[in-house]
Amino acid sequence: MSKSVYMDNNATTYLKKEVLDAMMPYYTDIYGNASSKFYAVGREAEQALYKLREKAAKLLGAANVNEIYFTGSGCEADNWAIKGVANAYKRKGNHIITSKIEHHAILGACEYLEKHGFEVTYLDVDEYGRVSPEAVEAAIKDNTVLISIMTANNEIGTIEPIKEIAEVAKKHKIVFHTDAVQAIGHMPINVRDLGVDMLSVSAHKFHGPKGVGLLYIKNGVRIDNLIHGGGQERGKRAATENLAGIAGLVKALEIAVENLDKNVEIMRDKRDKLIKGIQEKIPYCRLNGPVGDDRLCNNVNFSFQYVEGESILMMLDMNGVAASSGSACASGSLDPSHVLLAIGLPHEIAHGSLRLSVGEDTTDNDVDYIIEVLPPIIQRLRDMSPLYEDFLKGENK
Amino acid sequence: MYSEKVMDHFAHPRNVGEIENANAVGLVGNAKCGDIMKIYMDIQDNIIKDVKFKTFGCGAAIATSSMATEMVKGKTVEEALELTNKAVMEALDGLPAEKIHCSVLAEEAIRDAIEDYRKRQNA
């Protein structure tokens, strides 16, 4: 196998060399514990941590440096936002509003809270995956304490109307969290412009390291402590800081923000070429998610009728292409993707989904290669499919 | 995740297709669950002279269909009925736990085809 094309940038991205270079000194030279202030190498770590936090705050548009809380992942940031706010406000109310297409980190935390006396409204989305701000407002009750809607969907790329939803939340004085894990590096993110109270970030989605994320928590929002045992992160998340990881996150964020316009243009171009090529070459397919500016610049998601997603992935892999699918087999559960079901796809169409997510380094050559190898794969699987056979017989009647 | 045998049967499935004028057709699974297997047989003098399959499903579903058809080809109807999902799995050097149902489906598809054959004989 000669050619290798990575088309799963919504899953994770490679670590940039410059990011790794920014991390290394914190493993080998500035290895002190940032809480050990009575000697030089500890103080150096403490000062470095402050500067990194300051930079992250600036890059995200936070008003204060102390609104940035580093975490061990995007999932952790999401879990903390949901459970931490729900518990801190439970004397005020026990109702949470979210959507049916959130990441499992949000849905799982909400389901956990439901078992502990909370009530959760999972809002429907339209056929493109859009949450309506009017529906959010209509779902608000006297006991609503938290709204959480993702900035952009990881499977079908829907960009949600976060500003409008934030206004609704503000009007009703309800804490608003957004999971921006897929959005960073793919669209401008400024917490004050968006008007959100909390926002989750994960470094490895924009060429940073795995195992580090952050949660922006606007001053004034109450949240329960996540990890007990030390004064780190203002006493809210104990644990010796992963300084190298944090340095990697901040460096990757800096590069992503500085190059945003250029990168978005590249990814949008590759995305649109992929969509166009697939639509031209493969019949009986459906683009899942919105088109144009309402779609994440790097996400492509198609359903191919009469075939199953895992088989597509395996055949793509044999051709050196890394991609993902929302089929039940690919998701490791009995049901296909909750996102595809929420936009109204029947199970059999959802099973035949394929997500291709481009990166800033994706070339026209890569796109052409996909458009060359994918159509025969789909045709081969269709030729093996009893559903396609039935379809053809129906056509010939 | 998959054994080399599974990958081989997925990449080069044996007995894919339809048999025109088949005297036994089995159809199991449903699109909702993401697996459908259709098996065609040409049974002459109680012997499965030819067998073909079409499958909508994951890699394991295709590989088990391929292996199961290989295992019953040339066998008597009674021998084919003795085919178990375990035997199919073993022949494929195992399947991941979440894919065992695919081998069950293959066993059921063979049985369904033979049931269809017997119904036709008695009709």
Side-chain angles (χ1 to χ4, degrees):
Chain A
M1 181 168 64
S2 50
K3 183 113 178 136
S4 152
V5 177
Y6 185 74
M7 282 282 175
D8 206 11
N9 287 279
N10 285 147
T12 195
T13 57
Y14 70 88
L15 184 76
K16 279 199 171 144
K17 179 72 171 58
E18 307 96 285
V19 176
L20 181 64
D21 289 344
M23 295 169 69
M24 289 310 279
Y26 297 101
Y27 285 122
T28 50
D29 300 331
I30 312 168
Y31 54 82
N33 188 321
S35 302
S36 305
K37 299 166 194 175
F38 297 104
Y39 46 77
V41 75
R43 279 194 300 275
E44 278 173 341
E46 188 204 7
Q47 282 157 12
L49 178 64
Y50 183 83
K51 280 190 184 142
L52 289 166
R53 201 186 302 278
E54 198 175 35
K55 203 178 242 179
K58 205 173 154 211
L59 290 165
L60 292 172
N64 293 293
V65 60
N66 61 16
E67 292 174 324
I68 302 296
Y69 294 81
F70 293 109
T71 65
S73 66
C75 269
E76 182 187 312
D78 280 348
N79 266 266
W80 185 19
I82 299 293
K83 291 187 267 188
V85 168
N87 281 321
Y89 286 80
K90 68 182 168 199
R91 256 177 252 149
K92 190 186 162 208
N94 66 341
H95 179 235
I96 298 163
I97 299 169
T98 186
S99 84
K100 285 187 177 162
I101 64 161
E102 297 300 309
H103 188 273
H104 284 296
I106 297 293
L107 295 177
C110 285
E111 283 156 20
Y112 166 82
L113 287 173
E114 280 183 292
K115 286 183 198 145
H116 289 82
F118 287 87
E119 183 197 336
V120 182
T121 299
Y122 301 93
L123 293 173
D124 286 324
V125 294
D126 71 10
E127 59 181 310
Y128 299 108
R130 194 173 178 273
V131 176
S132 114
E134 294 77 31
V136 173
E137 185 153 32
I140 292 173
K141 305 197 286 185
D142 290 344
N143 61 341
T144 306
V145 291
L146 173 65
I147 299 169
S148 179
I149 303 291
M150 70 202 321
T151 315
N153 183 267
N154 50 313
E155 290 189 37
I156 58 170
T158 316
I159 295 174
E160 300 295 348
I162 294 306
K163 259 188 179 177
E164 289 86 336
I165 297 170
E167 277 166 25
V168 169
K170 193 176 272 174
K171 185 172 136 195
H172 293 269
K173 297 190 173 66
I174 297 165
V175 176
F176 179 46
H177 166 257
T178 190
D179 168 357
V181 165
Q182 289 291 342
I184 303 276
H186 303 120
M187 57 188 278
I189 292 295
N190 179 301
V191 291
R192 274 181 295 171
D193 284 354
L194 288 173
V196 298
D197 297 312
M198 289 192 290
L199 180 138
S200 302
V201 173
S202 173
H204 75 98
K205 303 287 190 188
F206 50 93
H207 301 285
K210 285 147 183 84
V212 60
L214 71 78
L215 181 63
Y216 159 77
I217 309 174
K218 194 177 171 181
N219 281 344
V221 171
R222 282 184 282 135
I223 188 161
D224 260 20
N225 296 350
L226 177 67
I227 300 176
H228 308 275
Q232 294 91 350
E233 303 303 299
R234 305 181 77 207
K236 295 199 169 298
R237 187 204 183 262
T240 299
E241 297 86 352
N242 171 13
L243 204 48
I246 291 167
L249 183 156
V250 175
K251 184 69 187 175
L253 184 60
E254 190 181 9
I255 297 172
V257 170
E258 274 173 9
N259 298 285
L260 186 70
D261 292 348
K262 184 185 80 185
N263 288 342
V264 166
E265 198 177 314
I266 293 170
M267 289 187 265
R268 215 175 256 165
D269 174 59
K270 308 306 169 215
R271 174 197 73 182
D272 291 343
K273 281 178 178 158
L274 258 180
I275 292 174
K276 190 162 169 272
I278 290 170
Q279 283 174 333
E280 278 173 7
K281 288 276 186 70
I282 307 178
Y284 318 119
C285 69
R286 175 194 198 278
L287 178 71
N288 298 316
V291 288
D293 291 347
D294 292 338
R295 185 180 195 103
L296 212 52
C297 64
N298 74 337
N299 173 284
V300 175
N301 188 311
F302 274 98
S303 280
F304 300 100
Q305 273 187 277
Y306 319 117
V307 297
E308 192 275 341
E310 190 201 271
S311 294
I312 308 173
L313 295 187
M314 288 172 68
M315 288 205 175
L316 280 173
D317 178 46
M318 290 174 191
N319 286 278
V321 178
S324 96
S325 166
S327 81
C329 282
S331 71
S333 72
L334 289 174
D335 282 319
S337 142
H338 65 290
V339 177
L340 298 177
L341 296 180
I343 61 169
L345 294 195
H347 276 66
E348 61 267 34
I349 308 290
H351 283 303
S353 79
L354 173 69
R355 181 184 73 180
L356 298 161
S357 41
V358 304
E360 62 200 58
D361 306 304
T362 302
T363 62
D364 280 338
N365 212 334
D366 296 334
V367 171
D368 291 344
Y369 182 68
I370 301 287
I371 296 170
E372 180 196 323
V373 300
L374 187 59
I377 288 175
I378 301 298
Q379 193 52 50
R380 201 169 158 217
L381 290 169
R382 282 181 176 163
D383 288 341
M384 257 189 249
S385 165
L387 294 173
Y388 189 58
E389 181 188 313
D390 290 349
F391 165 73
L392 290 180
K393 280 176 185 162
E395 285 266 283
N396 294 333
K397 258 180 200 166
Chain B
M1 134 182 186
Y2 285 133
S3 70
E4 275 177 36
K5 276 237 174 97
V6 172
M7 289 308 293
D8 176 43
H9 276 261
F10 171 74
H12 313 284
R14 283 64 149 174
N15 309 314
V16 175
E18 298 168 51
I19 298 175
E20 233 180 295
N21 306 319
N23 57 3
V25 179
L27 181 67
V28 295
N30 66 67
K32 193 169 183 251
C33 300
D35 295 303
I36 300 178
M37 284 183 198
K38 192 169 187 180
I39 299 226
Y40 298 85
M41 289 180 179
D42 175 17
I43 303 176
Q44 301 296 333
D45 303 326
N46 204 43
I47 298 204
I48 300 168
K49 291 196 69 175
D50 198 9
V51 53
K52 298 267 186 206
F53 81 88
K54 284 216 170 168
T55 290
F56 161 80
C58 63
I62 289 170
T64 53
S65 308
S66 166
M67 180 55 89
T69 52
E70 277 283 271
M71 290 171 86
V72 300
K73 201 170 181 177
K75 297 280 165 63
T76 64
V77 165
E78 290 73 24
E79 284 167 337
L81 281 173
E82 280 169 22
L83 181 80
T84 61
N85 78 298
K86 210 170 152 233
V88 175
M89 262 182 17
E90 277 166 10
L92 287 168
D93 291 339
L95 284 173
E98 70 274 15
K99 299 290 186 181
I100 292 173
H101 72 274
C102 293
S103 66
V104 174
L105 210 59
E107 177 193 318
E108 285 171 1
I110 300 284
R111 284 170 188 276
D112 198 54
I114 291 174
E115 212 168 284
D116 179 54
Y117 169 72
R118 287 183 167 167
K119 259 187 218 155
R120 293 188 199 202
Q121 296 296 304
N122 297 331

